[in-house]
Amino acid sequence: MRVVVADDSVLLREGVVRLLEESGFDVVAQAGDADDLLRKVNAHKPDVAVVDIRMPPTNTDDGLRAALQIRATHPDTGVLVLSQYVEEGYALELVGDAAGGVGYLLKDRVADVERFVDSVKRVGEGGSALDPEVVAQLVGRARREDPLAELTPREREVLELMAEGRSNQAIAEQLVITERAVEKHVTSIFGKLDLAPAPEDHRRVLAVLTFLRA
Amino acid sequence: MTSLRRALWALAAAGFVFGLAVVALIVTSDTPEYPAAWAAGGLAVGWSFIGVGLFAWGRRPDNRVGMLMTATGFAWLVAGCGLSDLPLVFTLGQGVGTLFFAVAVHLLLAFPSGQLESRADRCIVTGAYIVTAVAGLALWLFSDPRSLGCDDCPDNVLLVYDNETLVNAISTVINLIGAALITGVVVVLIRRWRRATPSQRRFLVPVYAAGIAVGIMLIATVALQVGGLDDPVLEAAWIAAMVPLGLVPYVFLGTLIRARMIQSRAVSELVARLSGTPRPGELRDALASALGDESLELAYWVPEQDRFVDAQGRPVELPEQGTGRAVTKVRREGSYVAAIVHDPVLDEQHGHVEAVCSAASLALENERLEAELRAKVEELRESRQRMLRVGLEERRRLERDLHDGAQQRLVSMALSMRLARARLRDQPEAAERLLDGASEELDAALDELRELARGIHPAVLSDRGLDTALEALAHRTPLPVDLESTPGRRLPEAVELAAYFVVSEALTNVVKYADATHATVNVASENGRVVVQVADDGVGGADPERGTGLRGLADRLAVLEGRLEIDSPPGRGTTVTARIPCG
């Protein structure tokens, strides 16, 4: 899988590159700012771009803007944005109306190599990866009439993992239950929240996010 | 002609006719020894009081002095009827005529304001009315003037039962009460003189003159009663006592006219003094001498702070009513300029105070601007000091948070890593556990650092502006928050930051103290300023002085010339409103 890594901190960038290469990714280019990133994505058309949100030239959310542009102009390139902060607003903006090939993770997640690599792979394959913190914030929002209150604790866990973009298989592994049980929970959740069933993982993410952000 | 004016003219006519009628009654009467002198003196006194009283009434309808003076005149004429030899008129005059003393005492104690200011005043006046009316009439139920030694007197038509012992008893009681009331009047007047300022004393002179005149009259009356109604010498003394009494209204009038002359001179002097550039403090001195009140103080209005300050810009509390000081607020072009804190006696010279105020209003406005500037500087200085203190506290808190949180975790992590390294070969499982622990500590440290950084400056605010930052804030709050309106555009960074912290601090307070079910946030930019409002439906009763949070917010806003208002009636929620000027 071909990857472009963009981060203005050389130390972190090198770290991420080494980690990805050790895990079998092909890092085709590195970028130090948003413009550089756009150029390299244009040139290499990678499967996935790993992008730090805070980058030159303005050192605000240039990375996010670049990511949105990549998503608009290169639909085949997945974008995984790394952020110092949990801002659900950014995550939702990034996802927009298509949850395929997109991810938003806290920067410290790179320390958990296995899960980070899994997320990069998922985004590169057209899936999605949302940080558990972001999902927790979305789920934890105070609501006037909260339909989430009807969910059982187990269903809540399943909902959160679904929102992160995990497949049924991954959810089953995480919760140490059978895939069959996960499917039953998913059906029940969709029923309780009055959502139309969505077969593909990334469509399911979008449905759940649309529900949560309302 | 107004209805008041018509009524006054009618009273004047009534007084004129009544006076002539009394003269006719006295002149044709057999009772008095010197009917002509009685008639002349009585008429002079009665008309003087009525005439001067009506004049004063017309000039100052809101002040009761004129009315009381008129009433005194009429009461006097009624008393004059007591000299008639027609039984009905005689009885009426003798029985009701003593009311004159009560009305006169009322007038004395009510001058110059027309109001009875103290409880003692009211007691004395009420007592005087009761004694003269009720007791006087009661006395006449039992006394036959002929058995009291007045052989020329006509019949007492009220007489029900002639009993000298009873009459003597009632007289003694009336005289004792009368003596007590007179003592009371004397004490009140002396106390008043002692407490009076020089400008107030100016108004007390006629009161004392009148007091002495009425006193002489009273002594003459009592002497006549004690000595028998017929004694020609005492009758002559009585007639002589009418002379000072007749002069009383003119003394009152003279005081009023003199006061007016002094006032108009004072205003022209004031205008002359203020034509140059007044030195600091000179304006106060000029006003003090123009109003004849050395105790006068000035306070200036600062609209932004919504309060009065002194010339140095320090906040001033204006005295409440009934504290022995009065306040006159000076307006210019519809808005407050200053407040003059003065002796309440000046309230009696309303027109004069107004004239002085308008003569000085430009000078007052100039001094007000200076005081406003000082007040602003003063507030800025205070707020800067508080900011400094808040800043230091904030840094200490940050240091503590870093030291107790992330730093401890990193130290413990370093330790775990060393231990793990030592066990790597011999006890790989223990090493693994140590490393797991270390990475948990690391995660926690990163979380804490992230929260700290957000508290210092939320990144999303500078990235995306207030709208997005407030949305995130609302979502993070563990309580439903309706974000009703946001500015919808970027504002200057300092304004955005201040508005953000107002909402953040207010929501934190709602969660901590308000026991609310939800909160609403409104941020609107209008007329060159941003209005931030956070309202909840909680318990209310928030104290703006409580804690450093709101105080710190007020200081943060003060730097931008913004203001913070907290409306928190108990049981009806809390609304925090910040107004921040914004280009």
Side-chain angles (χ1 to χ4, degrees):
Chain A
M1 196 173 272
R2 300 167 67 249
V3 187
V4 171
V5 177
D7 195 324
D8 61 319
S9 155
V10 181
L11 202 66
L12 248 153
R13 194 171 70 213
E14 294 288 357
V16 171
V17 168
R18 199 170 61 221
L19 194 151
L20 288 174
E21 281 178 340
E22 277 175 12
S23 310
F25 290 90
D26 176 17
V27 179
V28 291
Q30 300 180 28
D33 62 59
D35 300 332
D36 196 17
L37 166 68
L38 290 175
R39 263 197 311 277
K40 300 220 161 115
V41 167
N42 256 332
H44 296 280
K45 310 223 172 349
D47 297 309
V48 60
V50 178
V51 182
D52 181 21
I53 203 165
R54 196 160 301 268
M55 273 199 298
T58 68
N59 268 318
T60 58
D61 55 351
D62 302 70
L64 184 65
R65 290 170 203 279
L68 287 169
Q69 201 171 329
I70 295 170
R71 266 170 69 68
T73 52
H74 296 85
D76 295 334
T77 300
V79 184
L80 177 61
V81 171
L82 299 180
S83 170
Q84 210 75 265
Y85 306 96
V86 195
E87 284 300 346
E88 45 169 290
Y90 287 176
L92 293 176
E93 194 178 328
L94 185 65
V95 170
D97 48 15
V102 67
Y104 179 97
L105 290 182
L106 272 181
K107 215 168 193 178
D108 8 324
R109 304 294 178 211
V110 297
D112 187 345
V113 179
E114 208 174 308
R115 278 177 67 179
F116 176 63
V117 165
D118 178 54
S119 300
V120 177
K121 207 173 282 169
R122 218 155 66 219
V123 172
E125 284 163 357
S128 35
L130 277 193
D131 197 275
E133 276 286 323
V134 173
V135 173
Q137 267 190 19
L138 283 169
V139 173
R141 266 190 199 178
R143 293 175 171 83
R144 289 278 173 83
E145 290 155 24
D146 196 354
L148 296 184
E150 286 178 35
L151 301 187
T152 64
R154 179 58 100 190
E155 284 168 352
R156 234 179 144 95
E157 281 177 302
V158 173
L159 176 80
E160 287 178 16
L161 290 170
M162 248 188 328
E164 283 176 31
R166 308 284 200 96
S167 62
N168 283 359
Q169 190 194 339
I171 296 173
E173 274 169 27
Q174 172 90 17
L175 298 180
V176 202
I177 49 177
T178 61
E179 263 192 76
R180 182 92 193 88
V182 174
E183 275 165 30
K184 263 170 68 186
H185 285 309
V186 170
T187 313
S188 163
I189 293 168
F190 272 64
K192 283 179 179 174
L193 301 186
D194 202 15
L195 295 175
E200 292 158 284
D201 287 349
H202 67 266
R203 291 202 191 283
R204 195 166 75 173
V205 172
L206 191 65
V208 171
L209 287 183
T210 309
F211 172 81
L212 289 177
R213 75 208 292 183
Chain B
M1 207 193 292
T2 63
S3 58
L4 173 73
R5 213 139 273 268
R6 269 199 298 276
L8 293 182
W9 278 111
L11 277 175
F16 182 74
V17 173
F18 191 18
L20 292 181
V22 170
V23 166
L25 285 171
I26 295 174
V27 173
T28 58
S29 168
D30 288 338
T31 324
E33 201 81 18
Y34 316 107
W38 274 114
L43 189 65
V45 172
W47 278 1
S48 295
F49 271 97
I50 293 176
V52 174
L54 289 174
F55 174 73
W57 196 346
R59 294 297 295 268
R60 294 285 308 279
D62 53 327
N63 186 316
R64 231 182 265 167
V65 166
M67 190 177 82
L68 282 170
M69 215 183 273
T70 312
T72 311
F74 276 100
W76 171 260
L77 289 179
V78 172
C81 296
L83 290 168
S84 166
D85 57 0
L86 305 171
L88 185 66
V89 180
F90 166 76
T91 311
L92 181 80
Q94 292 289 346
V96 186
T98 42
L99 256 182
F100 161 75
F101 288 110
V103 186
V105 165
H106 189 172
L107 170 63
L108 270 188
L109 295 185
F111 191 80
S113 68
Q115 305 281 332
L116 296 172
E117 308 284 359
S118 75
R119 219 179 117 84
D121 292 358
R122 286 189 290 275
C123 287
I124 290 172
V125 170
T126 314
Y129 279 114
I130 292 175
V131 168
T132 53
V134 181
L137 273 174
L139 184 67
W140 279 79
L141 293 176
F142 310 111
S143 78
D144 181 357
R146 269 184 292 268
S147 61
L148 287 171
C150 177
D151 298 329
D152 304 337
C153 287
D155 289 336
N156 173 3
V157 295
L158 279 178
L159 185 65
V160 286
Y161 168 57
D162 180 14
N163 183 329
E164 209 172 320
T165 329
L166 190 59
V167 168
N168 281 338
I170 297 178
S171 297
T172 310
V173 172
I174 293 180
N175 286 342
L176 281 177
I177 298 176
L181 289 175
I182 291 165
T183 314
V185 172
V186 171
V187 170
V188 164
L189 291 183
I190 290 176
R191 272 226 312 255
R192 238 187 241 187
W193 183 269
R194 282 223 183 123
R195 265 184 294 175
T197 60
S199 68
Q200 279 174 316
R201 286 188 180 164
R202 211 159 65 198
F203 286 90
L204 284 176
V205 172
V207 178
Y208 286 95
I212 292 165
V214 175
I216 292 171
M217 195 87 256
L218 203 64
I219 290 164
T221 310
V222 174
L224 263 182
Q225 247 180 25
V226 174
L229 289 173
D230 236 4
D231 196 329
V233 180
L234 280 170
E235 203 179 310
W238 224 93
I239 292 168
M242 286 197 286
V243 177
L245 188 62
L247 292 174
V248 164
Y250 302 102
V251 178
F252 277 76
L253 189 65
T255 307
L256 291 177
I257 290 173
R258 218 183 101 227
R260 183 119 325 153
M261 276 167 56
I262 292 175
Q263 286 168 3
S264 62
R265 203 168 53 230
V267 172
S268 37
E269 273 176 16
L270 177 69
V271 171
R273 271 179 86 168
L274 296 181
S275 59
T277 315
R279 292 186 311 275
E282 194 181 342
L283 179 60
R284 190 215 78 89
D285 294 346
L287 286 173
S289 73
L291 291 172
D293 177 8
E294 269 314 309
S295 69
L296 178 142
E297 292 160 277
L298 291 175
Y300 303 94
W301 178 246
V302 181
E304 273 175 30
Q305 300 179 8
D306 209 26
R307 62 183 177 193
F308 285 95
V309 300
D310 65 11
Q312 272 67 51
R314 290 179 297 246
V316 170
E317 281 296 323
L318 296 182
E320 305 274 317
Q321 247 189 346
T323 50
R325 302 287 285 157
V327 178
T328 300
K329 288 179 182 167
V330 184
R331 286 166 174 278
R332 192 162 187 270
E333 284 158 13
S335 53
Y336 285 137
V337 175
I340 301 177
V341 181
H342 55 74
D343 196 310
V345 76
L346 289 181
D347 283 343
E348 294 319 308
Q349 313 171 33
H350 189 64
H352 179 45
V353 175
E354 217 159 66
V356 166
C357 287
S358 66
S361 74
L362 185 63
L364 280 170
E365 173 67 20
N366 284 338
E367 288 221 346
R368 188 194 75 76
L369 288 172
E370 207 163 302
E372 184 176 28
L373 191 66
R374 283 177 207 270
K376 264 192 193 167
V377 169
E378 179 72 9
E379 197 186 55
L380 271 182
R381 196 182 58 80
E382 277 174 17
S383 122
R384 201 172 50 227
Q385 278 178 349
R386 278 198 303 268
M387 282 289 276
L388 210 63
R389 218 166 34 238
V390 168
L392 279 175
E393 262 167 41
E394 201 103 300
R395 285 164 79 154
R396 257 198 296 275
R397 190 180 58 77
L398 273 177
E399 187 271 339
R400 214 170 35 237
D401 286 354
L402 279 172
H403 186 267
D404 295 351
Q407 199 179 348
Q408 296 293 331
R409 294 191 189 283
L410 291 175
V411 168
S412 119
M413 199 187 95
L415 205 65
S416 301
M417 305 256 285
R418 294 244 163 74
L419 289 172
R421 190 180 191 287
R423 282 167 178 67
L424 211 50
R425 283 176 214 280
D426 309 337
Q427 303 163 271
E429 273 172 29
E432 201 174 318
R433 271 200 306 280
L434 282 166
L435 286 172
D436 280 349
S439 75
E440 271 167 31
E441 290 284 338
L442 183 57
D443 284 345
L446 285 167
D447 280 344
E448 277 169 15
L449 285 174
R450 208 162 28 235
E451 276 310 306
L452 263 177
R454 196 205 296 280
I456 297 168
H457 187 106
V460 65
L461 187 63
S462 29
D463 289 357
R464 291 304 168 89
L466 205 48
D467 297 22
T468 317
L470 288 181
E471 235 166 80
L473 190 56
H475 289 151
R476 267 205 311 280
T477 305
L479 180 84
V481 176
D482 295 335
L483 198 56
E484 286 185 345
S485 63
T486 51
R489 62 186 173 93
R490 293 303 298 259
L491 302 168
E493 199 180 355
V495 175
E496 284 192 333
L497 193 63
Y500 178 86
F501 277 109
V502 168
V503 177
S504 161
E505 181 69 31
L507 287 178
T508 305
N509 284 340
V510 172
V511 172
K512 268 197 212 162
Y513 308 111
D515 194 19
T517 63
H518 76 281
T520 52
V521 175
N522 274 293
V523 182
S525 98
E526 52 182 41
N527 300 331
R529 64 180 181 182
V530 175
V531 180
V532 182
Q533 200 164 60
V534 180
D536 67 58
D537 60 351
V539 294
D543 180 6
E545 301 302 319
R546 180 193 59 200
T548 52
L550 291 173
R551 186 70 259 181
L553 269 188
D555 288 336
R556 223 184 247 269
L557 293 172
V559 175
L560 301 170
E561 302 215 340
R563 298 200 70 76
L564 189 71
E565 286 160 30
I566 291 144
D567 180 29
S568 188
R572 281 189 287 143
T574 300
T575 304
V576 173
T577 309
R579 294 173 212 280
I580 311 164
C582 166

